[in-house]
Amino acid sequence: MHRVINLKDYPGDMEQAIKYYHSKWGGPNNYPFFYDAIIHSSSDKEGLPRFFLLMKEEKIVGCCGLIMNDFISRHDLYPWLCGIFVEERERGQALGNLLMEYAESEAVKAGYKIIYLTTEHNGYYEKYEWKRIEEGYDPSGEQTRIYMKSF
């Protein structure tokens, strides 16, 4: 059985959980960035950022986050679903949607009526009622798609 938890509620070693998240989205020189962001993330119902783990029994098999900005030029839009990842061996079970629904419910609890995401994927998020709204720019100047979902 799969479940989603706040990373700060991980029952094991917190650093192990942070290393997992970093291994999916980080690079060789930015572990301190991820560590600091996650250590200072929120576990209360209104605070951001928040990072989540997809658990299968006691094993981490996925992750995502809910943050104020996802390295995109549109700082006026928030919060952002970020870092969604499901281990390849666990895919095909709609677990990405499980992560998204959990993050969406946490956004609603925090008082938000819309969340955003930026992605290079085409067609995946539309299956889950995300609407492509416009383009933004990442820090390198590359154009990227922006999606939104309202509740």
Side-chain angles (χ1 to χ4, degrees):
M1 185 76 181
H2 294 91
R3 70 187 193 290
V4 181
I5 62 170
N6 187 309
L7 190 146
K8 291 189 99 171
D9 295 329
Y10 179 64
D13 176 30
M14 176 69 71
E15 191 151 355
Q16 176 189 358
I18 295 169
K19 284 179 180 177
Y20 176 88
Y21 198 100
H22 176 260
S23 75
K24 305 310 173 196
W25 297 106
N29 300 315
N30 67 356
Y31 180 76
F33 173 87
F34 280 82
Y35 181 87
D36 198 46
I38 292 170
I39 286 296
H40 292 99
S41 66
S42 183
S43 49
D44 67 296
K45 72 176 192 169
E46 294 175 8
L48 292 178
R50 284 189 244 175
F51 298 91
F52 309 110
L53 297 173
L54 175 63
M55 305 295 298
K56 182 177 184 180
E57 297 166 10
E58 300 306 312
K59 185 166 177 62
I60 303 170
V61 296
C63 58
C64 74
L66 189 60
I67 61 176
M68 293 303 287
N69 186 274
D70 195 12
F71 301 109
I72 188 163
S73 56
R74 294 299 307 273
H75 291 263
D76 58 315
L77 305 175
Y78 57 88
W80 293 80
L81 176 68
C82 71
I84 188 164
F85 179 84
V86 175
E87 292 291 340
E88 193 170 334
R89 69 186 177 278
E90 300 294 325
R91 294 179 187 168
Q93 304 175 62
L95 296 173
N97 190 46
L98 179 66
L99 279 164
M100 287 187 280
E101 286 178 345
Y102 189 86
E104 292 162 13
S105 71
E106 292 296 297
V108 168
K109 288 179 197 172
Y112 296 99
K113 296 181 180 178
I114 299 173
I115 62 173
Y116 302 89
L117 67 82
T118 180
T119 185
E120 305 265 328
H121 294 286
N122 194 14
Y124 177 75
Y125 295 98
E126 292 88 343
K127 293 188 298 188
Y128 300 106
E129 300 177 21
W130 288 85
K131 292 183 173 89
R132 185 172 174 183
I133 59 169
E134 60 187 85
E135 306 296 315
Y137 297 90
D138 69 22
S140 73
E142 292 294 315
Q143 206 171 45
T144 183
R145 295 182 200 106
I146 298 173
Y147 288 78
M148 68 169 276
K149 190 169 188 181
S150 55
F151 317 105

mmCIF file with all atom_site columns, all heavy atoms in Angstrom, residues 17-35:
data_model
loop_
_atom_site.group_PDB
_atom_site.id
_atom_site.type_symbol
_atom_site.label_atom_id
_atom_site.label_alt_id
_atom_site.label_comp_id
_atom_site.label_asym_id
_atom_site.label_entity_id
_atom_site.label_seq_id
_atom_site.pdbx_PDB_ins_code
_atom_site.Cartn_x
_atom_site.Cartn_y
_atom_site.Cartn_z
_atom_site.occupancy
_atom_site.B_iso_or_equiv
_atom_site.pdbx_formal_charge
_atom_site.auth_seq_id
_atom_site.auth_comp_id
_atom_site.auth_asym_id
_atom_site.auth_atom_id
_atom_site.pdbx_PDB_model_num
ATOM 1   N N   . ALA A 1 17 ? 16.188 10.831 3.846   1.00 0.00 ? 17 ALA A N   1
ATOM 2   C CA  . ALA A 1 17 ? 15.064 11.330 3.055   1.00 0.00 ? 17 ALA A CA  1
ATOM 3   C C   . ALA A 1 17 ? 15.487 12.523 2.188   1.00 0.00 ? 17 ALA A C   1
ATOM 4   O O   . ALA A 1 17 ? 15.106 12.618 1.020   1.00 0.00 ? 17 ALA A O   1
ATOM 5   C CB  . ALA A 1 17 ? 13.905 11.709 3.967   1.00 0.00 ? 17 ALA A CB  1
ATOM 6   N N   . ILE A 1 18 ? 16.288 13.412 2.760   1.00 0.00 ? 18 ILE A N   1
ATOM 7   C CA  . ILE A 1 18 ? 16.770 14.565 1.992   1.00 0.00 ? 18 ILE A CA  1
ATOM 8   C C   . ILE A 1 18 ? 17.668 14.098 0.854   1.00 0.00 ? 18 ILE A C   1
ATOM 9   O O   . ILE A 1 18 ? 17.568 14.590 -0.273  1.00 0.00 ? 18 ILE A O   1
ATOM 10  C CB  . ILE A 1 18 ? 17.491 15.565 2.912   1.00 0.00 ? 18 ILE A CB  1
ATOM 11  C CG1 . ILE A 1 18 ? 16.506 16.156 3.933   1.00 0.00 ? 18 ILE A CG1 1
ATOM 12  C CG2 . ILE A 1 18 ? 18.164 16.673 2.093   1.00 0.00 ? 18 ILE A CG2 1
ATOM 13  C CD1 . ILE A 1 18 ? 17.150 16.954 5.043   1.00 0.00 ? 18 ILE A CD1 1
ATOM 14  N N   . LYS A 1 19 ? 18.527 13.142 1.120   1.00 0.00 ? 19 LYS A N   1
ATOM 15  C CA  . LYS A 1 19 ? 19.410 12.608 0.073   1.00 0.00 ? 19 LYS A CA  1
ATOM 16  C C   . LYS A 1 19 ? 18.591 11.966 -1.041  1.00 0.00 ? 19 LYS A C   1
ATOM 17  O O   . LYS A 1 19 ? 18.952 12.067 -2.217  1.00 0.00 ? 19 LYS A O   1
ATOM 18  C CB  . LYS A 1 19 ? 20.401 11.605 0.660   1.00 0.00 ? 19 LYS A CB  1
ATOM 19  C CG  . LYS A 1 19 ? 21.524 12.271 1.415   1.00 0.00 ? 19 LYS A CG  1
ATOM 20  C CD  . LYS A 1 19 ? 22.485 11.250 2.001   1.00 0.00 ? 19 LYS A CD  1
ATOM 21  C CE  . LYS A 1 19 ? 23.592 11.958 2.756   1.00 0.00 ? 19 LYS A CE  1
ATOM 22  N NZ  . LYS A 1 19 ? 24.504 11.012 3.408   1.00 0.00 ? 19 LYS A NZ  1
ATOM 23  N N   . TYR A 1 20 ? 17.492 11.307 -0.692  1.00 0.00 ? 20 TYR A N   1
ATOM 24  C CA  . TYR A 1 20 ? 16.629 10.728 -1.720  1.00 0.00 ? 20 TYR A CA  1
ATOM 25  C C   . TYR A 1 20 ? 16.098 11.838 -2.626  1.00 0.00 ? 20 TYR A C   1
ATOM 26  O O   . TYR A 1 20 ? 16.201 11.754 -3.848  1.00 0.00 ? 20 TYR A O   1
ATOM 27  C CB  . TYR A 1 20 ? 15.459 9.949  -1.100  1.00 0.00 ? 20 TYR A CB  1
ATOM 28  C CG  . TYR A 1 20 ? 14.521 9.427  -2.168  1.00 0.00 ? 20 TYR A CG  1
ATOM 29  C CD1 . TYR A 1 20 ? 14.759 8.197  -2.758  1.00 0.00 ? 20 TYR A CD1 1
ATOM 30  C CD2 . TYR A 1 20 ? 13.442 10.173 -2.627  1.00 0.00 ? 20 TYR A CD2 1
ATOM 31  C CE1 . TYR A 1 20 ? 13.935 7.719  -3.775  1.00 0.00 ? 20 TYR A CE1 1
ATOM 32  C CE2 . TYR A 1 20 ? 12.621 9.717  -3.640  1.00 0.00 ? 20 TYR A CE2 1
ATOM 33  C CZ  . TYR A 1 20 ? 12.868 8.479  -4.206  1.00 0.00 ? 20 TYR A CZ  1
ATOM 34  O OH  . TYR A 1 20 ? 12.062 8.025  -5.222  1.00 0.00 ? 20 TYR A OH  1
ATOM 35  N N   . TYR A 1 21 ? 15.500 12.866 -2.045  1.00 0.00 ? 21 TYR A N   1
ATOM 36  C CA  . TYR A 1 21 ? 14.934 13.965 -2.836  1.00 0.00 ? 21 TYR A CA  1
ATOM 37  C C   . TYR A 1 21 ? 16.021 14.596 -3.710  1.00 0.00 ? 21 TYR A C   1
ATOM 38  O O   . TYR A 1 21 ? 15.828 14.801 -4.908  1.00 0.00 ? 21 TYR A O   1
ATOM 39  C CB  . TYR A 1 21 ? 14.292 15.004 -1.907  1.00 0.00 ? 21 TYR A CB  1
ATOM 40  C CG  . TYR A 1 21 ? 13.329 15.918 -2.631  1.00 0.00 ? 21 TYR A CG  1
ATOM 41  C CD1 . TYR A 1 21 ? 11.972 15.691 -2.570  1.00 0.00 ? 21 TYR A CD1 1
ATOM 42  C CD2 . TYR A 1 21 ? 13.784 16.992 -3.383  1.00 0.00 ? 21 TYR A CD2 1
ATOM 43  C CE1 . TYR A 1 21 ? 11.073 16.513 -3.239  1.00 0.00 ? 21 TYR A CE1 1
ATOM 44  C CE2 . TYR A 1 21 ? 12.902 17.815 -4.060  1.00 0.00 ? 21 TYR A CE2 1
ATOM 45  C CZ  . TYR A 1 21 ? 11.550 17.578 -3.982  1.00 0.00 ? 21 TYR A CZ  1
ATOM 46  O OH  . TYR A 1 21 ? 10.683 18.387 -4.661  1.00 0.00 ? 21 TYR A OH  1
ATOM 47  N N   . HIS A 1 22 ? 17.164 14.873 -3.119  1.00 0.00 ? 22 HIS A N   1
ATOM 48  C CA  . HIS A 1 22 ? 18.274 15.472 -3.865  1.00 0.00 ? 22 HIS A CA  1
ATOM 49  C C   . HIS A 1 22 ? 18.727 14.561 -5.004  1.00 0.00 ? 22 HIS A C   1
ATOM 50  O O   . HIS A 1 22 ? 19.052 15.036 -6.088  1.00 0.00 ? 22 HIS A O   1
ATOM 51  C CB  . HIS A 1 22 ? 19.442 15.778 -2.928  1.00 0.00 ? 22 HIS A CB  1
ATOM 52  C CG  . HIS A 1 22 ? 20.635 16.298 -3.638  1.00 0.00 ? 22 HIS A CG  1
ATOM 53  N ND1 . HIS A 1 22 ? 21.714 15.505 -3.958  1.00 0.00 ? 22 HIS A ND1 1
ATOM 54  C CD2 . HIS A 1 22 ? 20.916 17.541 -4.122  1.00 0.00 ? 22 HIS A CD2 1
ATOM 55  C CE1 . HIS A 1 22 ? 22.608 16.228 -4.600  1.00 0.00 ? 22 HIS A CE1 1
ATOM 56  N NE2 . HIS A 1 22 ? 22.153 17.466 -4.709  1.00 0.00 ? 22 HIS A NE2 1
ATOM 57  N N   . SER A 1 23 ? 18.722 13.252 -4.785  1.00 0.00 ? 23 SER A N   1
ATOM 58  C CA  . SER A 1 23 ? 19.183 12.331 -5.837  1.00 0.00 ? 23 SER A CA  1
ATOM 59  C C   . SER A 1 23 ? 18.287 12.385 -7.069  1.00 0.00 ? 23 SER A C   1
ATOM 60  O O   . SER A 1 23 ? 18.721 12.052 -8.167  1.00 0.00 ? 23 SER A O   1
ATOM 61  C CB  . SER A 1 23 ? 19.254 10.889 -5.307  1.00 0.00 ? 23 SER A CB  1
ATOM 62  O OG  . SER A 1 23 ? 17.957 10.312 -5.184  1.00 0.00 ? 23 SER A OG  1
ATOM 63  N N   . LYS A 1 24 ? 17.050 12.814 -6.913  1.00 0.00 ? 24 LYS A N   1
ATOM 64  C CA  . LYS A 1 24 ? 16.122 12.895 -8.039  1.00 0.00 ? 24 LYS A CA  1
ATOM 65  C C   . LYS A 1 24 ? 16.160 14.245 -8.730  1.00 0.00 ? 24 LYS A C   1
ATOM 66  O O   . LYS A 1 24 ? 15.883 14.344 -9.928  1.00 0.00 ? 24 LYS A O   1
ATOM 67  C CB  . LYS A 1 24 ? 14.686 12.596 -7.585  1.00 0.00 ? 24 LYS A CB  1
ATOM 68  C CG  . LYS A 1 24 ? 14.529 11.263 -6.880  1.00 0.00 ? 24 LYS A CG  1
ATOM 69  C CD  . LYS A 1 24 ? 15.140 10.121 -7.666  1.00 0.00 ? 24 LYS A CD  1
ATOM 70  C CE  . LYS A 1 24 ? 15.139 8.828  -6.874  1.00 0.00 ? 24 LYS A CE  1
ATOM 71  N NZ  . LYS A 1 24 ? 16.029 7.825  -7.447  1.00 0.00 ? 24 LYS A NZ  1
ATOM 72  N N   . TRP A 1 25 ? 16.499 15.309 -8.012  1.00 0.00 ? 25 TRP A N   1
ATOM 73  C CA  . TRP A 1 25 ? 16.390 16.653 -8.576  1.00 0.00 ? 25 TRP A CA  1
ATOM 74  C C   . TRP A 1 25 ? 17.644 17.505 -8.427  1.00 0.00 ? 25 TRP A C   1
ATOM 75  O O   . TRP A 1 25 ? 17.717 18.578 -9.016  1.00 0.00 ? 25 TRP A O   1
ATOM 76  C CB  . TRP A 1 25 ? 15.192 17.379 -7.959  1.00 0.00 ? 25 TRP A CB  1
ATOM 77  C CG  . TRP A 1 25 ? 13.943 16.656 -8.305  1.00 0.00 ? 25 TRP A CG  1
ATOM 78  C CD1 . TRP A 1 25 ? 13.177 15.883 -7.489  1.00 0.00 ? 25 TRP A CD1 1
ATOM 79  C CD2 . TRP A 1 25 ? 13.346 16.573 -9.598  1.00 0.00 ? 25 TRP A CD2 1
ATOM 80  N NE1 . TRP A 1 25 ? 12.129 15.335 -8.194  1.00 0.00 ? 25 TRP A NE1 1
ATOM 81  C CE2 . TRP A 1 25 ? 12.209 15.741 -9.494  1.00 0.00 ? 25 TRP A CE2 1
ATOM 82  C CE3 . TRP A 1 25 ? 13.666 17.127 -10.835 1.00 0.00 ? 25 TRP A CE3 1
ATOM 83  C CZ2 . TRP A 1 25 ? 11.397 15.459 -10.575 1.00 0.00 ? 25 TRP A CZ2 1
ATOM 84  C CZ3 . TRP A 1 25 ? 12.846 16.840 -11.918 1.00 0.00 ? 25 TRP A CZ3 1
ATOM 85  C CH2 . TRP A 1 25 ? 11.725 16.018 -11.772 1.00 0.00 ? 25 TRP A CH2 1
ATOM 86  N N   . GLY A 1 26 ? 18.578 17.064 -7.651  1.00 0.00 ? 26 GLY A N   1
ATOM 87  C CA  . GLY A 1 26 ? 19.767 17.871 -7.414  1.00 0.00 ? 26 GLY A CA  1
ATOM 88  C C   . GLY A 1 26 ? 20.891 17.574 -8.380  1.00 0.00 ? 26 GLY A C   1
ATOM 89  O O   . GLY A 1 26 ? 20.783 16.719 -9.254  1.00 0.00 ? 26 GLY A O   1
ATOM 90  N N   . GLY A 1 27 ? 21.972 18.292 -8.192  1.00 0.00 ? 27 GLY A N   1
ATOM 91  C CA  . GLY A 1 27 ? 23.174 18.105 -8.981  1.00 0.00 ? 27 GLY A CA  1
ATOM 92  C C   . GLY A 1 27 ? 24.358 17.891 -8.063  1.00 0.00 ? 27 GLY A C   1
ATOM 93  O O   . GLY A 1 27 ? 24.225 17.913 -6.836  1.00 0.00 ? 27 GLY A O   1
ATOM 94  N N   . PRO A 1 28 ? 25.533 17.711 -8.639  1.00 0.00 ? 28 PRO A N   1
ATOM 95  C CA  . PRO A 1 28 ? 26.702 17.366 -7.826  1.00 0.00 ? 28 PRO A CA  1
ATOM 96  C C   . PRO A 1 28 ? 27.111 18.441 -6.824  1.00 0.00 ? 28 PRO A C   1
ATOM 97  O O   . PRO A 1 28 ? 27.752 18.141 -5.822  1.00 0.00 ? 28 PRO A O   1
ATOM 98  C CB  . PRO A 1 28 ? 27.812 17.120 -8.853  1.00 0.00 ? 28 PRO A CB  1
ATOM 99  C CG  . PRO A 1 28 ? 27.335 17.710 -10.128 1.00 0.00 ? 28 PRO A CG  1
ATOM 100 C CD  . PRO A 1 28 ? 25.836 17.755 -10.067 1.00 0.00 ? 28 PRO A CD  1
ATOM 101 N N   . ASN A 1 29 ? 26.739 19.685 -7.060  1.00 0.00 ? 29 ASN A N   1
ATOM 102 C CA  . ASN A 1 29 ? 27.214 20.771 -6.192  1.00 0.00 ? 29 ASN A CA  1
ATOM 103 C C   . ASN A 1 29 ? 26.120 21.469 -5.396  1.00 0.00 ? 29 ASN A C   1
ATOM 104 O O   . ASN A 1 29 ? 26.389 22.498 -4.783  1.00 0.00 ? 29 ASN A O   1
ATOM 105 C CB  . ASN A 1 29 ? 27.956 21.810 -7.039  1.00 0.00 ? 29 ASN A CB  1
ATOM 106 C CG  . ASN A 1 29 ? 29.141 21.205 -7.749  1.00 0.00 ? 29 ASN A CG  1
ATOM 107 O OD1 . ASN A 1 29 ? 29.904 20.449 -7.153  1.00 0.00 ? 29 ASN A OD1 1
ATOM 108 N ND2 . ASN A 1 29 ? 29.292 21.508 -9.022  1.00 0.00 ? 29 ASN A ND2 1
ATOM 109 N N   . ASN A 1 30 ? 24.885 20.950 -5.403  1.00 0.00 ? 30 ASN A N   1
ATOM 110 C CA  . ASN A 1 30 ? 23.837 21.721 -4.730  1.00 0.00 ? 30 ASN A CA  1
ATOM 111 C C   . ASN A 1 30 ? 23.134 20.979 -3.591  1.00 0.00 ? 30 ASN A C   1
ATOM 112 O O   . ASN A 1 30 ? 22.033 21.367 -3.203  1.00 0.00 ? 30 ASN A O   1
ATOM 113 C CB  . ASN A 1 30 ? 22.827 22.265 -5.742  1.00 0.00 ? 30 ASN A CB  1
ATOM 114 C CG  . ASN A 1 30 ? 22.012 21.180 -6.418  1.00 0.00 ? 30 ASN A CG  1
ATOM 115 O OD1 . ASN A 1 30 ? 22.227 19.984 -6.213  1.00 0.00 ? 30 ASN A OD1 1
ATOM 116 N ND2 . ASN A 1 30 ? 21.067 21.597 -7.235  1.00 0.00 ? 30 ASN A ND2 1
ATOM 117 N N   . TYR A 1 31 ? 23.761 19.959 -3.033  1.00 0.00 ? 31 TYR A N   1
ATOM 118 C CA  . TYR A 1 31 ? 23.146 19.293 -1.885  1.00 0.00 ? 31 TYR A CA  1
ATOM 119 C C   . TYR A 1 31 ? 22.860 20.274 -0.746  1.00 0.00 ? 31 TYR A C   1
ATOM 120 O O   . TYR A 1 31 ? 21.775 20.212 -0.148  1.00 0.00 ? 31 TYR A O   1
ATOM 121 C CB  . TYR A 1 31 ? 23.998 18.115 -1.393  1.00 0.00 ? 31 TYR A CB  1
ATOM 122 C CG  . TYR A 1 31 ? 23.375 17.425 -0.210  1.00 0.00 ? 31 TYR A CG  1
ATOM 123 C CD1 . TYR A 1 31 ? 22.289 16.567 -0.385  1.00 0.00 ? 31 TYR A CD1 1
ATOM 124 C CD2 . TYR A 1 31 ? 23.826 17.667 1.075   1.00 0.00 ? 31 TYR A CD2 1
ATOM 125 C CE1 . TYR A 1 31 ? 21.689 15.947 0.705   1.00 0.00 ? 31 TYR A CE1 1
ATOM 126 C CE2 . TYR A 1 31 ? 23.235 17.050 2.170   1.00 0.00 ? 31 TYR A CE2 1
ATOM 127 C CZ  . TYR A 1 31 ? 22.164 16.195 1.980   1.00 0.00 ? 31 TYR A CZ  1
ATOM 128 O OH  . TYR A 1 31 ? 21.566 15.589 3.056   1.00 0.00 ? 31 TYR A OH  1
ATOM 129 N N   . PRO A 1 32 ? 23.776 21.196 -0.416  1.00 0.00 ? 32 PRO A N   1
ATOM 130 C CA  . PRO A 1 32 ? 23.461 22.136 0.678   1.00 0.00 ? 32 PRO A CA  1
ATOM 131 C C   . PRO A 1 32 ? 22.186 22.950 0.426   1.00 0.00 ? 32 PRO A C   1
ATOM 132 O O   . PRO A 1 32 ? 21.439 23.240 1.364   1.00 0.00 ? 32 PRO A O   1
ATOM 133 C CB  . PRO A 1 32 ? 24.699 23.051 0.741   1.00 0.00 ? 32 PRO A CB  1
ATOM 134 C CG  . PRO A 1 32 ? 25.804 22.194 0.202   1.00 0.00 ? 32 PRO A CG  1
ATOM 135 C CD  . PRO A 1 32 ? 25.148 21.366 -0.887  1.00 0.00 ? 32 PRO A CD  1
ATOM 136 N N   . PHE A 1 33 ? 21.919 23.309 -0.824  1.00 0.00 ? 33 PHE A N   1
ATOM 137 C CA  . PHE A 1 33 ? 20.685 24.027 -1.163  1.00 0.00 ? 33 PHE A CA  1
ATOM 138 C C   . PHE A 1 33 ? 19.466 23.192 -0.787  1.00 0.00 ? 33 PHE A C   1
ATOM 139 O O   . PHE A 1 33 ? 18.542 23.674 -0.125  1.00 0.00 ? 33 PHE A O   1
ATOM 140 C CB  . PHE A 1 33 ? 20.677 24.367 -2.659  1.00 0.00 ? 33 PHE A CB  1
ATOM 141 C CG  . PHE A 1 33 ? 19.380 24.962 -3.129  1.00 0.00 ? 33 PHE A CG  1
ATOM 142 C CD1 . PHE A 1 33 ? 19.163 26.325 -3.049  1.00 0.00 ? 33 PHE A CD1 1
ATOM 143 C CD2 . PHE A 1 33 ? 18.374 24.157 -3.641  1.00 0.00 ? 33 PHE A CD2 1
ATOM 144 C CE1 . PHE A 1 33 ? 17.956 26.874 -3.478  1.00 0.00 ? 33 PHE A CE1 1
ATOM 145 C CE2 . PHE A 1 33 ? 17.171 24.702 -4.072  1.00 0.00 ? 33 PHE A CE2 1
ATOM 146 C CZ  . PHE A 1 33 ? 16.966 26.064 -3.985  1.00 0.00 ? 33 PHE A CZ  1
ATOM 147 N N   . PHE A 1 34 ? 19.430 21.940 -1.236  1.00 0.00 ? 34 PHE A N   1
ATOM 148 C CA  . PHE A 1 34 ? 18.295 21.066 -0.938  1.00 0.00 ? 34 PHE A CA  1
ATOM 149 C C   . PHE A 1 34 ? 18.184 20.802 0.560   1.00 0.00 ? 34 PHE A C   1
ATOM 150 O O   . PHE A 1 34 ? 17.090 20.845 1.122   1.00 0.00 ? 34 PHE A O   1
ATOM 151 C CB  . PHE A 1 34 ? 18.410 19.743 -1.709  1.00 0.00 ? 34 PHE A CB  1
ATOM 152 C CG  . PHE A 1 34 ? 17.976 19.868 -3.139  1.00 0.00 ? 34 PHE A CG  1
ATOM 153 C CD1 . PHE A 1 34 ? 18.831 20.364 -4.109  1.00 0.00 ? 34 PHE A CD1 1
ATOM 154 C CD2 . PHE A 1 34 ? 16.695 19.504 -3.531  1.00 0.00 ? 34 PHE A CD2 1
ATOM 155 C CE1 . PHE A 1 34 ? 18.433 20.490 -5.427  1.00 0.00 ? 34 PHE A CE1 1
ATOM 156 C CE2 . PHE A 1 34 ? 16.285 19.628 -4.847  1.00 0.00 ? 34 PHE A CE2 1
ATOM 157 C CZ  . PHE A 1 34 ? 17.155 20.122 -5.794  1.00 0.00 ? 34 PHE A CZ  1
ATOM 158 N N   . TYR A 1 35 ? 19.298 20.514 1.198   1.00 0.00 ? 35 TYR A N   1
ATOM 159 C CA  . TYR A 1 35 ? 19.292 20.240 2.634   1.00 0.00 ? 35 TYR A CA  1
ATOM 160 C C   . TYR A 1 35 ? 18.696 21.420 3.397   1.00 0.00 ? 35 TYR A C   1
ATOM 161 O O   . TYR A 1 35 ? 17.789 21.255 4.212   1.00 0.00 ? 35 TYR A O   1
ATOM 162 C CB  . TYR A 1 35 ? 20.717 19.949 3.116   1.00 0.00 ? 35 TYR A CB  1
ATOM 163 C CG  . TYR A 1 35 ? 20.789 19.645 4.581   1.00 0.00 ? 35 TYR A CG  1
ATOM 164 C CD1 . TYR A 1 35 ? 20.602 18.341 5.042   1.00 0.00 ? 35 TYR A CD1 1
ATOM 165 C CD2 . TYR A 1 35 ? 21.024 20.648 5.519   1.00 0.00 ? 35 TYR A CD2 1
ATOM 166 C CE1 . TYR A 1 35 ? 20.651 18.059 6.404   1.00 0.00 ? 35 TYR A CE1 1
ATOM 167 C CE2 . TYR A 1 35 ? 21.070 20.379 6.868   1.00 0.00 ? 35 TYR A CE2 1
ATOM 168 C CZ  . TYR A 1 35 ? 20.882 19.079 7.318   1.00 0.00 ? 35 TYR A CZ  1
ATOM 169 O OH  . TYR A 1 35 ? 20.922 18.795 8.651   1.00 0.00 ? 35 TYR A OH  1
#
